[in-house]
Structure formats: structure tokens, C-alpha cells
Amino acid sequence: MLESTSINQQYEQACRDNMRILIVGAGIAGITAAQLLRRYGRHPVLIERNKDKGHPGYMLALMPMVDQVLEDIGVREYYLQNSTALARFGFHAHTGKMLRIDPMDNILSRYGDYRGIARGKLIETLTNDGCNVSFSTTVTGINDSATGTTVNFITDGESYQLEFDLVIIADGIHSTTRELILGSNTVEMVDTKWGGWVDWTTEDTNMDLGEEIWGAGFFLGIYPVKGKLGVFLGGSHKDTKVGPASFVENVRRKLTIINPRMDSALRNVASSPNPYYWPLKDCRSPKWVFGRTVLLGDAAAGFLPTAGIGAGMAMESAWVLTRILQHSHLDTLAAQLQSYEQMQRPRVETAQNTSRRLARFMFHRSWTLAVLRGIAMKFVSVEAALKPIQNLLANKPNPDHIA
């Protein structure tokens, strides 16, 4: 579990290492990097701007690139207990009619596990042995000097200034810390102008089956996690501004077939007092490395959820970076960080491009396009759609070799 610790306590331990490391952001990427470094014997300082763990968020489908990460952190068995195997994927037409069910285990099992897990459960899994973090801490300045990188903080209303040898920025797609170092560079952002609500419904007898409906002006996804089903119901901002209850009624009018699982999902979204709203946009930084500072996870490349690969790539990137740091010393750090970006950035952007292509295919308001899309999906399998992702899984990164 995440354990609140003062920044001074963390920094005292970090100063005993041969490299003082700061990780900004206690999300999936930041926690993964911190836990790996701690398993490797270092004591990074982990900070989080929120005052607590924050909103548990949404459901995740994790592909096999996370298997080695979980193995190295020592939580693989705990992960298997907290997640559920995703063996099948069902695709519905815009009317609700099931068009096809593809066997996901045939597609991905050759590479490892494909499992569903709630974001909160994943954080709980990654921090099973404890994870020190300083909450309510924000970076206000980063400056390189001859001896290191000076970082200014505000924590619980007090100002601090500490020096580090490496700063890892992992505070999300809307990273404020990233803005401090970008200078004249700008982050590329894709805004689909769609968004939707995340909610949960009860488990059923098909807990190996994920389902999606690509409707005319709406999207409904139902994804199994341990003990429940995650639900995402979305549409254009123009349409969803009426609120979840009214939007659900609009969706029901467009469907001619509503199975019990879909009905339960729609009812829960409509009746939820405060469902989490997720704007569907991504970002891509023009570079990842700035002197002794490096971007990680969504701060480097934030994903649309359409390919279900963002969290997995963030965890893989954290693993690649920390494995390279295993071979790094202060005099080789700059070169090693450049090697990290050269190795991992093309992989991440390939996966991100897949998510972007799927978004252009999925998010439409036109009934005619929805009909044509349904006809096309009768003949296009999930395996074909995820071919670029399969290529990434088949060609795993080797950070030890690069380092």
C-alpha cells in the first residue's frame, strides 16, 4: 500500500545511494519505476501532488509486456489473484447485435498473460510490500547545475529546495512538471472531442469476455476485472453534456438488442450519483530527455484507451528505464538516458499510433458510417487490428544489452 512519508525522510535515504533520484507522480508509471528501483537496491524519492491516493479511476486490460515487470517487483502471484483472464472479445453492431467473438487467448497467449484489473487494484498490487510517497507535494522549479539538478517544491504549504542527480517526471498526461522543462517545445495533443463515464456493474457468468458496441454517436465497453465488470459509456462532448441519465436514454433508443449485461451497465451509469468522466485525448512530447530529467508514462506519451495498451506501455517503459539505470553511473547517466529514449520512444509511439487509428475508426456520430463499419468488422478480426501491438510483443526490448 502507499505509505505517507515526509520528503525529508525519503531524501535522507536517497542521499545514501550513488544516485539521488526523484520521481514526480505516484500513478502507474511512477509507482512502477519507484518499486523497481527499490527492488534493485536504490531509494528514490516519490512525490504526489494529490493529498491522498486520489480517484481509483477505471478498468485496465494489461497485455503481456507487463509480465516481466511484475516478476521483477515480486508481485506476479498477487497480480494473478487480483485480476481476471481475458480470453474472448465480443464486437457488437451499432444496433446491439453481436457480430463476432474473437478468441483473445489464441492471439496473445503465445506472449504471456492478458488480464483485466481495476486501476486501484493494480496500484494495490504494485505496492503490496509498501511504497513510501510524499503526498501534497508539487514541483515549482527545476534547474540544472554543475553538481546536479536543483528542484523546488511546495509540500503542505512549505517550500523546499533539494538537489538530485536524476529527475523522472511521471505526473500524467496533463503534467505541470513537464511544462517547467519544455521551454519553447510544445506537446502534440489529439483531442477526439469525445468522453464518457466510467462505472461498475456486477460480475456474471462470462467473466472471460470483454464486449464493445461501436454505435452511431456512442461507444459502450464492458470489461471484466476481479469480482465485477468495468463499464465505459461515451460519446461526443456535444452529446454527453446532457448528463449520464439522459445520454443513456438516447443510447437505449438507438439499440434494437440489449442483452442483460448491457442493460445492467446502462442502468448503473444512469443511476450512479457521481460517475467518473474521462475526456478522450492523448499527448506526445517532442522529446523525452532534458539533461538529467526524463519523461515517463503519460507525461511522455499519454494514450487514448482504444487499444488497451497505454498502462502496459507505461509499465514497460518504467522497466526499460530502471534496467538501464542499473548499469548507470553519474558519468554515464546522460548517455544512458539518450539510449533509453532511442530504444523505447519508437515502441511507445507505434502503440500510440495504433490507438489513434482505432479512435478515428470508432468515434463517429454518423448512422451511415456505423452501418459500413459494422459490415467491415464482420471480416476484420481483432488479431488483424492489433497486428502492430503483436509485433511489439514479439520483439521485446533488451535494456541490459543497450546499457
Side-chain angles (χ1 to χ4, degrees):
M1 61 183 294
L2 291 170
E3 299 171 352
S4 181
T5 310
S6 76
I7 196 167
N8 286 330
Q9 286 177 297
Q10 289 200 76
Y11 189 67
E12 183 180 341
Q13 287 189 308
C15 286
R16 298 172 188 163
D17 295 345
N18 65 348
M19 190 181 297
R20 299 162 298 177
I21 301 175
L22 170 67
I23 301 174
V24 183
I28 300 300
I31 289 173
T32 301
Q35 295 297 80
L36 285 167
L37 288 169
R38 288 164 180 166
R39 290 285 289 195
Y40 300 155
R42 285 198 166 104
H43 302 85
V45 175
L46 176 62
I47 66 171
E48 169 57 45
R49 64 180 168 228
N50 293 318
K51 64 181 179 180
D52 54 29
K53 292 183 292 185
H55 197 287
Y58 37 82
M59 69 297 300
L60 299 167
L62 292 181
M63 293 195 182
M65 72 268 296
V66 307
D67 290 355
Q68 188 60 54
V69 181
L70 297 162
E71 206 60 72
D72 281 13
I73 296 177
V75 295
R76 181 158 169 70
E77 288 305 314
Y78 195 52
Y79 166 68
L80 295 176
Q81 294 170 21
N82 280 338
S83 61
T84 188
L86 301 177
R88 297 178 296 154
F89 173 79
F91 176 77
H92 295 258
H94 65 288
T95 60
K97 179 184 178 181
M98 180 72 82
L99 291 182
R100 61 183 302 145
I101 296 179
D102 288 320
M104 297 299 291
D105 48 357
N106 286 358
I107 299 170
L108 296 174
S109 61
R110 73 196 80 165
Y111 309 112
D113 290 320
Y114 180 48
R115 303 184 70 84
I117 188 169
R119 182 179 182 274
K121 274 294 180 184
L122 177 58
I123 290 177
E124 183 182 308
T125 298
L126 294 171
T127 61
N128 183 47
D129 293 332
C131 177
N132 290 334
V133 57
S134 298
F135 291 109
S136 301
T137 303
T138 303
V139 174
T140 57
I142 300 178
N143 297 286
D144 280 340
S145 67
T147 56
T149 299
T150 302
V151 182
N152 297 315
F153 308 89
I154 294 178
T155 179
D156 288 325
E158 294 187 39
S159 297
Y160 283 82
Q161 186 178 84
L162 300 172
E163 190 174 78
F164 293 90
D165 302 300
L166 171 63
V167 177
I168 300 172
I169 296 176
D171 55 346
I173 189 171
H174 301 295
S175 169
T176 55
T177 316
R178 178 185 61 209
E179 303 307 310
L180 297 174
I181 63 167
L182 274 179
S184 60
N185 294 293
T186 57
V187 175
E188 173 193 333
M189 298 203 75
V190 170
D191 186 352
T192 65
K193 295 183 170 51
W194 277 46
W197 297 278
V198 175
D199 203 29
W200 309 92
T201 187
T202 54
E203 63 181 331
D204 57 19
T205 57
N206 292 304
M207 291 301 287
D208 66 334
L209 173 67
E211 297 180 73
E212 291 181 354
I213 305 172
W214 299 3
F218 73 93
F219 172 89
L220 176 62
I222 305 174
Y223 312 99
V225 300
K226 187 72 173 182
K228 55 187 177 181
L229 293 167
V231 178
F232 178 83
L233 176 66
S236 71
H237 294 321
K238 183 182 296 185
D239 295 331
T240 58
K241 67 181 181 181
V242 299
S246 295
F247 187 75
V248 165
E249 287 306 309
N250 292 337
V251 169
R252 286 185 179 277
R253 284 193 289 268
K254 294 177 180 179
L255 293 169
T256 57
I257 297 174
I258 302 178
N259 67 30
R261 178 188 266 194
M262 292 155 54
D263 180 61
S264 175
L266 291 171
R267 278 190 289 104
N268 279 32
V269 171
S271 62
S272 179
N274 187 30
Y276 174 74
Y277 188 83
W278 188 354
L280 298 181
K281 58 178 67 176
D282 75 6
C283 76
R284 177 180 292 182
S285 178
K287 56 185 294 190
W288 289 10
V289 175
F290 304 80
R292 299 184 186 92
T293 300
V294 59
L295 303 180
L296 178 67
D298 284 352
F303 278 64
L304 296 168
T306 46
I309 192 70
M313 292 306 298
M315 293 174 68
E316 182 191 90
S317 294
W319 178 76
V320 170
L321 175 61
T322 54
R323 290 299 301 180
I324 288 176
L325 291 176
Q326 280 295 92
H327 304 275
S328 298
H329 302 281
L330 293 181
D331 56 345
T332 63
L333 179 60
Q336 301 284 38
L337 292 178
Q338 292 294 336
S339 296
Y340 161 68
E341 180 171 354
Q342 290 167 13
M343 166 185 276
Q344 194 62 9
R345 185 173 170 181
R347 290 180 60 82
V348 169
E349 292 185 354
T350 294
Q352 190 184 50
N353 287 339
T354 301
S355 295
R356 288 177 171 182
R357 283 194 295 270
L358 284 171
R360 289 193 292 270
F361 193 56
M362 293 163 64
F363 301 148
H364 289 290
R365 301 175 77 202
S366 165
W367 180 85
T368 302
L369 287 175
V371 172
L372 294 174
R373 184 177 56 199
I375 293 171
M377 288 304 293
K378 288 182 180 180
F379 307 101
V380 179
S381 67
V382 171
E383 183 169 12
L386 295 181
K387 198 66 177 177
I389 306 299
Q390 291 183 73
N391 291 337
L392 293 178
L393 294 171
N395 297 283
K396 298 178 181 179
N398 188 344
D400 296 317
H401 174 72
I402 292 293

